[in-house]
């Protein structure tokens, strides 16, 4: 099944726009697991189990696994997600950005080794940095467009000779000539709701992955009002607020409650109770 179809079905089945980010830091693991990188899988799997009926997607960030030598645990985790939450897509957050044979290897890593359903990419080397991934026809490719960090303006907000800002040009390409197979989405940060709205206007049907709510300061209501349309999915990611809601043995239970509250806030912003 194509990523976009999986995403829409998961959103409908779970009445959810919430993506649970999986960014495990050994130093922040609960209780006796604290500092033990060997328990990364156990921690993330418990969060998945607790939120599997609340999420429209799960988003493991590869750096948190690789930095701890936990790539094998990431492989196990994706298998676990597909088993306990069938139909909920896994977005591997890696932000790859290379070309040619190297990009082909990154695509194999994401889609064959880790068996992700979608991958975040940096498009700043142009279409050459997208094309090798497009050969995996059922996979989603989510391009950095207008990111939530303050320094994103250094490049993304700059005006081109055409008068467009760079992030607007990326949105237009992703919604048009780059997206012949219907595989593309865009990353737009929750800290810039006006620019979410601008990207949505330029890319009216593309999935938007929106990080930055919760710990990063983005407003859930403003985010949904800017980006959500009935025929245009948004994937609103929350990581730390859910993962580290409790430092005790009840971390999964408390994380579930935070996820429930976040889902309700997102739904309320689009008029769904």
């Amino acid at each position: 099944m194509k990523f976009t179809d999986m995403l829409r079905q998961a959103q409908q089945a779970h009445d959810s726009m919430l993506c649970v980010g999986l960014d495990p830091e050994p130093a922040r693991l609960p209780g006796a697991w604290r500092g033990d990188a060997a328990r990364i899988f156990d921690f993330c799997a418990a969060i998945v189990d607790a939120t599997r009926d609340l999420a429209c997607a799960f988003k493991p960030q590869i750096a948190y696994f690789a930095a701890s030598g936990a790539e094998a645990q990431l492989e196990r985790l994706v298998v676990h997600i597909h088993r306990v939450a069938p139909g909920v897509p896994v977005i591997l957050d890696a932000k790859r950005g290379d070309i040619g044979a190297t990009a082909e290897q990154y695509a194999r890593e994401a889609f064959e080794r880790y068996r992700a359903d979608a991958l975040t990419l940096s498009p700043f080397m142009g279409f050459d940095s997208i094309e090798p991934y497009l050969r995996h026809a059922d996979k989603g490719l989510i391009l950095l467009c207008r990111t939530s960090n303050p320094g994103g303006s250094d490049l993304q907000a700059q005006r081109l000779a055409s008068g467009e800002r760079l992030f607007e040009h990326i949105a237009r390409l992703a919604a048009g000539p780059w997206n012949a197979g219907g595989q593309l989405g865009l990353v737009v940060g929750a800290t810039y709701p006006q620019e979410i709205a601008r990207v949505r206007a330029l890319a009216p049907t593309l999935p938007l992955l929106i990080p930055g709510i919760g710990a990063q300061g983005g407003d859930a209501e403003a985010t949904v009002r800017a980006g959500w349309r009935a025929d245009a999915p948004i994937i609103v990611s929350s990581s730390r607020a859910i993962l580290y809601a409790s430092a005790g043995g009840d971390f999964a239970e408390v994380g579930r409650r935070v996820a429930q509250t976040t889902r309700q806030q997102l739904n309320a912003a689009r008029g769904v109770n």
Side-chain angles (χ1 to χ4, degrees), residues 22-23 58-62 65 74 77-78 90-93:
L22 299 168
D23 305 351
F58 290 100
K59 184 176 70 66
Q61 163 51 257
I62 194 170
F65 294 84
L74 175 56
L77 179 62
V78 177
V90 175
I91 301 169
L92 184 63
D93 193 359

Side-chain angles (χ1 to χ4, degrees), residues 11-85:
Q11 291 197 324
Q12 292 173 1
H14 295 167
D15 190 25
S16 180
M17 294 175 277
L18 174 65
C19 171
V20 176
L22 299 168
D23 305 351
E25 299 178 57
R28 299 186 69 179
L29 298 186
W33 292 357
R34 184 164 300 157
D36 185 357
R39 305 311 295 261
I40 283 175
F41 169 82
D42 298 319
F43 173 71
C44 291
I47 293 290
V48 168
D49 292 348
T51 60
R52 60 187 177 181
D53 61 329
L54 303 175
C56 71
F58 290 100
K59 184 176 70 66
Q61 163 51 257
I62 194 170
Y64 285 86
F65 294 84
S68 295
E71 293 94 331
Q73 294 185 68
L74 175 56
E75 291 182 62
R76 288 178 61 203
L77 179 62
V78 177
V79 171
H80 181 78
I81 295 170
H82 286 154
R83 182 174 61 82
V84 302

